[in-house]
Amino acid sequence: MKRFQLWLTVSLLTKFETSSGVSLKQFSRTPQMNNHQNISTLLDNLLRGYDNSVRPDFGGPPAVVEVDIMVRSMGPISEVDMTYSMDCYFRQSWVDRRLAFPGDTNDTLALSISMLARIWKPDTYFYNGKQSYLHTITTPNKFVRLYQDGRVLYSSRLTIKAGCPMNLEDFPMDIQRCPLKFGSSEYSMLLVSFHLQRHMGNFLIQVYGPCVLLVVLSWVSFWLNREATADRVSLGITTVLTMTFLGLEARTDLPKVPYPTALDFFVFLSFAFIFATIIQFAVVHYFTKYGSGECYFSSDFSSDSSSDDDDWIETKENAPAHVSGSPVCKGSNFDSSNGGDPHFVEVIPLSACSIPVASMRRSSQPWSNLSCISRSQEEKSFQPSPVKSSERSPCQRRRHRKKKRTPRFNSVSKIDRASRVVFPLLFVTINLFYWYSYLSRTKRIQNLNVS
């Protein structure tokens, strides 16, 4: 019996609360519906006899329109088209006393966008705008607010694409000043300037870094001896072609301006250094002393004899078979004024000697069957003493000597050694001047913008 009474009490309370809640909701809806009706009646009264084709205070002072721009994002920026884009909230505010209504000063009415067609609004447009549009997803992004004193706030979200005349002389270290011109056909025009500073990280990775690496790669030829003609020429041509492709690729994102940019100067500087390495090798090859790849022997058998710092010394026993058997000598410089120097150099051309290949293969001494087939009259006149007919051949005469030989080869030129120092120093010096001049110009532009 007690349980039944308790359950009955709880159920009665629940019903009471529910019924009271429903009655409260009904009471709360009634003032709200009345408020909506009051606002609709107020707007109808304000717009009764309202002509939206006539500006506020017609016949009196001009209507003042205040503009506020909130930029949400900037970009993309195109140097080819010389345009920039931005996403912003474009807000306009003006006072239309025909829309003033009685009430508190803090009263604000948020109107529907359908009211825009029934009230006056300024004909604002962008002078340098290109392909600007209003966001309409999922509904047109704009709203209207009406204040008690008749002030109207009209806001819309726009993507504006405007033209920007750019000066690309300092590209990619430039700072551009992009204007936004907007106004009305009534009286005045407003100008807003956006100062845009370019980030250089992308250009350092894609252009400046590879250019420096290509220039350093071309300097590898300075460490190759001058007989490596094919290697040095192929290395130079490869770097020139790669540099040409890199320079053309860097210009694809730029307009065809009639003046060179800072990036063009650097690409041309790198190309000039790479091309100079090819010219340097041509000079080295032209001033080679004994021709490409020739070997010559000195009759000075001392191990410390050397007439050129670039030559290398090797004994006959340690010399390879193709060195000791292939090069032969020809009568070389001999000073007859001093009575004949015994330490003269003899070089015998290969065409002047007959080398029986079959006999050389069977014999352990490749020089035993080597004989000369001709000698010049100048060589015969330089004989220091009469010798036997069997010893007239220089090749046979050298065969009986047991002393060390000094084979000498063309090696690194002195021009190459100087180029190893001159080229890097000159490149570093020009780079310091390049970066200092352009970065200082950028700082001057920043100071002018601040002032």
Side-chain angles (χ1 to χ4, degrees):
M1 189 68 182
K2 292 182 179 180
R3 293 181 180 177
F4 179 77
Q5 292 178 354
L6 180 61
W7 177 80
L8 181 61
T9 304
V10 173
S11 62
L12 290 175
L13 290 174
T14 305
K15 291 181 180 180
F16 178 78
E17 291 176 357
T18 303
S19 61
S20 63
V22 172
S23 62
L24 289 176
K25 289 182 180 178
Q26 292 177 354
F27 285 128
S28 63
R29 287 180 180 176
T30 303
Q32 187 175 4
M33 293 177 62
N34 294 332
N35 190 20
H36 289 172
Q37 293 177 358
N38 294 333
I39 294 176
S40 300
T41 304
L42 175 63
L43 293 177
D44 292 338
N45 293 331
L46 291 177
L47 297 177
R48 185 178 294 112
Y50 185 91
D51 188 2
N52 58 0
S53 61
V54 179
R55 68 172 180 86
D57 299 332
F58 181 76
V64 178
V65 179
E66 300 177 359
V67 179
D68 179 19
I69 299 178
M70 179 182 177
V71 180
R72 299 182 69 251
S73 63
M74 181 70 68
I77 301 171
S78 175
E79 292 84 6
V80 178
D81 300 331
M82 290 194 177
T83 59
Y84 71 98
S85 301
M86 67 175 181
D87 184 9
C88 66
Y89 291 113
F90 187 73
R91 298 167 180 169
Q92 304 177 82
S93 178
W94 65 94
V95 176
D96 191 351
R97 302 191 182 279
R98 294 174 295 179
L99 299 177
F101 58 91
D104 297 334
T105 57
N106 295 327
D107 289 344
T108 304
L109 298 179
L111 306 181
S112 173
I113 58 176
S114 60
M115 293 293 296
L116 288 173
R118 303 178 63 182
I119 64 175
W120 178 90
K121 54 184 177 295
D123 54 346
T124 307
Y125 63 93
F126 300 96
Y127 287 86
N128 59 336
K130 298 179 180 179
Q131 299 179 357
S132 302
Y133 62 91
L134 171 71
H135 291 252
T136 58
I137 304 297
T138 59
T139 184
N141 296 174
K142 52 186 178 180
F143 69 87
V144 181
R145 289 182 180 177
L146 180 61
Y147 293 87
Q148 187 265 338
D149 59 348
R151 178 171 291 276
V152 181
L153 176 62
Y154 172 40
S155 177
S156 58
R157 182 183 175 187
L158 304 176
T159 293
I160 302 174
K161 183 178 181 181
C164 177
M166 301 181 184
N167 185 6
L168 301 175
E169 291 183 355
D170 298 333
F171 179 86
M173 294 171 281
D174 55 335
I175 296 178
Q176 301 297 336
R177 182 179 179 181
C178 295
L180 179 63
K181 302 177 182 179
F182 57 93
S184 174
S185 58
E186 290 177 359
Y187 293 97
S188 60
M189 179 188 68
L190 296 180
L191 174 63
V192 180
S193 297
F194 298 95
H195 299 274
L196 307 177
Q197 184 175 1
R198 195 183 308 276
H199 294 289
M200 293 187 56
N202 182 45
F203 298 95
L204 290 175
I205 295 174
Q206 294 188 357
V207 181
Y208 285 98
C211 287
V212 173
L213 293 179
L214 285 174
V215 173
V216 175
L217 180 62
S218 65
W219 295 341
V220 175
S221 61
F222 299 152
W223 275 263
L224 301 177
N225 51 15
R226 50 191 170 186
E227 294 83 10
T229 304
D231 298 336
R232 297 183 69 166
V233 171
S234 61
L235 178 61
I237 293 177
T238 302
T239 51
V240 166
L241 294 178
T242 307
M243 192 67 226
T244 303
F245 172 77
L246 188 62
L248 295 176
E249 187 68 17
R251 292 282 304 179
T252 54
D253 296 334
L254 292 179
K256 297 180 180 180
V257 293
Y259 50 84
T261 63
L263 186 64
D264 295 333
F265 278 119
F266 192 86
V267 171
F268 179 77
L269 174 66
S270 302
F271 185 87
F273 269 87
I274 294 175
F275 186 76
T277 57
I278 302 179
I279 302 300
Q280 185 268 352
F281 173 67
V283 174
V284 170
H285 189 72
Y286 180 79
F287 288 103
T288 299
K289 291 183 179 180
Y290 300 100
S292 178
E294 287 189 27
C295 169
Y296 61 97
F297 291 91
S298 174
S299 59
D300 183 8
F301 303 109
S302 60
S303 60
D304 58 349
S305 62
S306 176
S307 61
D308 192 357
D309 294 336
D310 299 334
D311 298 335
W312 58 276
I313 301 174
E314 184 177 349
T315 59
K316 176 178 180 294
E317 290 81 4
N318 297 329
H322 70 279
V323 174
S324 60
S326 60
V328 289
C329 304
K330 179 181 179 181
S332 65
N333 300 331
F334 183 81
D335 190 4
S336 60
S337 61
N338 56 6
D341 189 0
H343 303 292
F344 65 92
V345 177
E346 289 185 337
V347 179
I348 302 176
L350 293 176
S351 59
C353 299
S354 61
I355 305 175
V357 180
S359 60
M360 289 179 63
R361 292 179 180 176
R362 294 190 297 268
S363 176
S364 60
Q365 297 180 355
W367 288 89
S368 59
N369 296 325
L370 188 64
S371 61
C372 298
I373 58 177
S374 63
R375 294 183 65 187
S376 62
Q377 297 296 329
E378 183 181 2
E379 293 174 357
K380 296 179 181 180
S381 62
F382 289 148
Q383 296 295 335
S385 60
V387 294
K388 296 181 180 181
S389 60
S390 60
E391 297 179 355
R392 290 181 180 179
S393 174
C395 301
Q396 295 177 358
R397 182 171 65 251
R398 292 182 178 275
R399 181 189 61 184
H400 296 288
R401 298 183 181 182
K402 304 297 183 180
K403 296 182 180 181
K404 297 180 180 179
R405 288 175 200 271
T406 309
R408 302 179 182 181
F409 294 88
N410 292 329
S411 183
V412 179
S413 172
K414 293 182 179 179
I415 302 177
D416 285 337
R417 292 185 176 181
S419 299
R420 296 175 186 176
V421 180
V422 174
F423 273 70
L425 287 179
L426 185 60
F427 186 72
V428 171
T429 303
I430 296 178
N431 268 270
L432 291 177
F433 177 76
Y434 171 86
W435 289 105
Y436 176 78
S437 60
Y438 279 102
L439 290 178
S440 62
R441 289 178 61 177
T442 303
K443 291 181 180 178
R444 286 198 296 269
I445 294 176
Q446 290 178 349
N447 294 333
L448 290 176
N449 293 334
V450 172
S451 61

